[in-house]
Amino acid sequence: MNGRALAATVAATTLLTACGGGDEDSGGDAGAGGTTYNQAWLVDFSGPYADVYNELQAAREATNEWWNETVGSEIGVQLAGEPYDHRYDAAQVASLWPGILSELEPIMAMGVGGPDVAALQQRLPQDQVPLLMNTAGYGYAWSADQWVFNPRATYAHEATGFVDWFKEDRGLDRPVRVAMISSEAAPAYVDIVDGMEAFAEDFPDMAEVVAVEFADVQPAALNSQVSRIVDAEADVIIIQTNTTQAVVTKQALESLGVEIPIMLSSHNSLQATGAAAGGIEELEGDYESYGFVVPAAQEGTAYDFYQMLVEDYGLEAEWTVPTVQGIAHQLYANRTVEHAVEMVGAENLTGQAMYDALLDVELTAEDLFEFLPPLDWTEEAPFPTSGLTTSIGTIEDGEYARAELDHEIPELEKW
């Protein structure tokens, strides 16, 4: 049975199980069923994203256990994994990496974010271990022949897709007046601003950047910055850094008696920011934008798959953005393993084989249980450059809701 046919069979079986038609006691023994290969799970359990990584990692591990039992055992492969906490610090990534290579001999590394890319991007081709990310990409990493792979375009792409949707949703006959709050503490944060400014320059009828405020990553207050944004008459404030900046921005808006919607990303989502702000209802009328399914509706293919992991594989994580991000991450990685097996055989997997498979595989939304849109990488960029979409969540009447799924992202030139 080839990989595509196998994926369809497994999809049907999974949905049957999720709806109560399978064996209630089914579970996975990750040590049985074929040749075992290692993956390095890079994590942040003690740094700025420790609040999301317990759920994200639990989701990756449960998805991997499901795959080992239902797919890996059929194709003669088992995937083991070891987590490495680098605290979202590039120096720590660089320090851990030689030991990871020698101790684990991984066929792939599963990345956290910007520090992984900064520390490893230049050495991965020599080490011949592809780095598979769960995050959006970065403009400064947008170059050909990469061993870094993102399932999402850049954060700037996801922001511009939101702006395109926002203009349409509000029926504006003028450009959206965009303000941004960011930080100069990391290249990734600055890159988001650079990308939005390039978008506004290329699409002047779509967006106008009226204010950019750089602040501390963990600010105590942003009243003066937000006051300048209010004076600039912004339609929306984009914050793709972290929950602290988002919460403090909301506090500043409240103190000024002004309502301007904010747009967040996946790592500082409405759910995470709402929890930090005292309740999700505090974010009424605000938004989030990212390139995978919004976990608002408790129905559909993605939710059924999540429920199956909870019931049959002991996943202890809520139906949240980090959980969805972790499932999506492991799914596309393991589907790529399936394709690598088709190409070289179950006993011949290497980092090079995974790299070749990533450039050759075409994954459908059905392969990915609708957690992600179709994925098709080429050598020109570390993320798919065609069919780019973003999904948008919001808070409506105090409830977390989907505003839009798979909104097409405008085509951006490299900045």
Side-chain angles (χ1 to χ4, degrees):
M1 181 180 293
N2 65 34
R4 299 283 70 77
L6 177 61
T9 300
V10 172
T13 302
T14 298
L15 291 180
L16 178 64
T17 301
C19 293
D23 180 0
E24 294 181 358
D25 295 325
S26 64
D29 179 1
T35 305
T36 299
Y37 297 93
N38 291 325
Q39 59 190 314
W41 281 315
L42 305 181
V43 298
D44 176 12
F45 287 150
S46 53
Y49 298 109
D51 59 334
V52 303
Y53 245 83
N54 282 327
E55 285 186 313
L56 197 153
Q57 180 60 16
R60 293 197 294 197
E61 292 183 12
T63 303
N64 193 66
E65 184 180 356
W66 161 82
W67 185 89
N68 276 332
E69 180 178 279
T70 62
V71 182
S73 60
E74 293 293 324
I75 62 176
V77 168
Q78 295 290 285
L79 286 175
E82 186 72 27
Y84 294 86
D85 184 7
H86 61 54
R87 305 190 299 273
Y88 205 75
D89 180 272
Q92 183 69 2
V93 177
S95 175
L96 287 171
W97 186 246
I100 292 172
L101 290 179
S102 62
E103 296 167 10
L104 208 61
E105 298 183 357
I107 61 169
M108 60 185 176
M110 306 287 280
V112 171
D116 309 329
V117 178
L120 302 179
Q121 183 179 24
Q122 300 305 315
R123 64 171 297 169
L124 289 171
Q126 176 183 343
D127 296 334
Q128 295 196 319
V129 178
L131 176 64
L132 281 64
M133 307 296 290
N134 62 67
T135 61
Y138 313 96
Y140 60 81
W142 186 347
S143 58
D145 303 316
Q146 292 297 307
W147 280 63
V148 177
F149 293 86
N150 296 85
R152 299 154 54 186
T154 70
Y155 287 102
H157 277 90
E158 294 180 348
T160 59
F162 166 79
V163 170
D164 179 69
W165 172 85
F166 186 86
K167 175 179 166 64
E168 178 183 306
D169 182 70
R170 297 297 172 98
L172 298 178
D173 58 2
R174 58 169 176 79
V176 179
R177 296 172 62 83
V178 176
M180 304 187 75
I181 294 179
S182 189
S183 171
E184 294 178 303
Y189 299 150
V190 177
D191 177 68
I192 295 166
V193 175
D194 292 343
M196 178 57 70
E197 290 180 334
F199 171 69
E201 184 176 340
D202 290 344
F203 295 87
D205 60 331
M206 189 73 65
E208 178 187 2
V209 179
V210 297
V212 175
E213 297 290 339
F214 288 106
D216 293 338
V217 178
Q218 305 286 339
L222 289 172
N223 289 49
S224 59
Q225 292 91 336
V226 173
S227 181
R228 289 192 290 270
I229 288 172
V230 172
D231 290 342
E233 300 181 349
D235 295 314
V236 65
I237 305 172
I238 292 175
I239 309 170
Q240 292 175 290
T241 46
N242 57 23
T243 56
T244 302
Q245 284 198 350
V247 170
V248 176
T249 297
K250 292 295 293 184
Q251 292 171 345
L253 287 167
E254 183 178 0
S255 70
L256 293 168
V258 177
E259 293 184 3
I260 300 175
I262 64 174
M263 188 224 85
L264 307 171
S265 189
S266 56
H267 51 270
N268 62 336
S269 65
L270 291 169
Q271 292 170 319
T273 299
I280 205 162
E281 66 277 1
E282 298 296 323
L283 304 182
E284 180 74 25
D286 293 325
Y287 300 96
E288 61 189 11
S289 178
Y290 41 77
F292 54 88
V293 68
V294 175
Q298 295 189 359
E299 59 184 14
T301 301
Y303 182 73
D304 288 345
F305 184 85
Y306 158 77
Q307 277 292 101
M308 180 273 299
L309 293 180
V310 170
E311 294 170 6
D312 295 342
Y313 291 89
L315 174 59
E316 295 183 0
E318 299 298 321
W319 179 235
T320 63
V321 172
T323 299
V324 166
Q325 197 165 340
I327 294 172
H329 192 193
Q330 199 67 50
L331 269 177
Y332 91 78
N334 289 26
R335 290 306 196 203
T336 303
V337 171
E338 294 171 34
H339 192 66
V341 170
E342 290 181 21
M343 295 174 67
V344 303
E347 297 181 358
N348 302 305
L349 295 188
T350 61
Q352 181 69 58
M354 282 297 297
Y355 173 82
D356 294 339
L358 282 156
L359 292 177
D360 189 71
V361 73
E362 294 182 12
L363 297 174
T364 68
E366 289 75 22
D367 292 332
L368 302 165
F369 298 108
E370 299 182 5
F371 281 90
L372 288 161
L375 298 178
D376 181 14
W377 291 272
T378 68
E379 293 180 349
E380 64 188 85
F383 49 84
T385 54
S386 62
L388 299 178
T389 64
T390 193
S391 293
I392 299 162
T394 190
I395 307 301
E396 184 176 331
D397 298 328
E399 299 291 333
Y400 184 43
R402 293 171 176 172
E404 179 86 341
L405 290 183
D406 298 325
H407 183 82
E408 185 175 348
I409 294 173
E411 185 173 342
L412 301 186
E413 297 293 331
K414 183 179 176 183
W415 54 90

